[in-house]
């Protein structure tokens, strides 16, 4: 059995862009969105692909190091706080949700009716 190829960050982003673009381009059976909308969607797809890969990496880091860390400011100030990874994860998740909503609004009509776009995005981010 051949060894599984480890993808670089750039490869993962490229793969996710291709997956999302395929959703919007359509195929012979199901037409996609028109070329003008596709150009608008490309920026959202680029951002969604970047965020998807980054969120996956952040999840791995959070699983390894946990969600909080100890801190000490001065002699008597200490406690626990969220890790920087958790803060970035929360912020990026909000931004990703906004992008998913925008992509869903621009999705081909057939996919909108069946909520397929939302399900496809959820499946990837679950």
């Amino acid at each position: 059995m051949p060894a599984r190829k480890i993808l670089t960050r750039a490869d993962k982003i490229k793969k996710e862009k291709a997956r999302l673009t395929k959703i919007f381009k359509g195929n012979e059976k199901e037409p996609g969105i028109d070329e003008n909308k596709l150009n608008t969607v490309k920026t959202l797809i680029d951002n969604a692909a970047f965020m998807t890969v980054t969120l996956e990496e952040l999840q791995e880091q959070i699983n390894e190091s946990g969600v909080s860390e100890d801190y000490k400011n001065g002699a008597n100030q200490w406690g626990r706080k969220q890790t920087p990874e958790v803060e970035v994860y929360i912020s990026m998740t909000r931004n990703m949700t906004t992008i998913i909503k925008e992509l869903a609004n621009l999705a081909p009509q057939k996919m909108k009716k069946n909520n397929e776009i939302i399900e496809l995005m959820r499946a990837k981010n679950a």
Side-chain angles (χ1 to χ4, degrees), residues 8-116:
T8 65
R9 178 178 174 74
D11 289 340
K12 290 176 185 178
I13 292 171
K14 185 177 178 180
K15 184 177 177 182
E16 182 64 9
K17 281 182 190 180
R19 185 185 77 84
L20 293 172
T21 301
K22 183 178 176 184
I23 293 168
F24 288 91
K25 278 192 172 181
N27 56 41
E28 293 171 6
K29 290 181 182 179
E30 299 293 331
I33 60 176
D34 67 53
E35 204 59 35
N36 290 332
K37 268 191 184 179
L38 188 58
N39 289 331
T40 302
V41 166
K42 281 184 181 182
T43 301
L44 292 173
I45 288 173
D46 290 347
N47 288 326
F50 170 80
M51 285 186 207
T52 298
V53 172
T54 303
L55 286 169
E56 288 172 357
E57 291 172 351
L58 286 168
Q59 285 174 354
E60 289 174 15
Q61 292 173 4
I62 292 167
N63 285 335
E64 289 174 11
S65 63
V67 295
S68 61
E69 63 186 4
D70 294 326
Y71 73 91
K72 185 174 182 180
N73 291 338
N76 295 321
Q77 293 181 338
W78 56 272
R80 292 193 63 78
K81 66 177 183 171
Q82 287 180 334
T83 62
E85 293 85 3
V86 170
E87 292 174 11
V88 171
Y89 185 85
I90 291 168
S91 176
M92 194 169 287
T93 300
R94 287 184 189 129
N95 293 338
M96 185 68 168
T97 301
T98 302
I99 288 176
I100 289 170
K101 287 179 183 177
E102 287 298 317
L103 287 171
N105 289 336
L106 294 167
Q109 281 302 111
K110 173 113 171 99
M111 292 184 89
K112 280 186 191 178
K113 289 177 186 174
N114 297 331
N115 287 327
E116 284 182 60

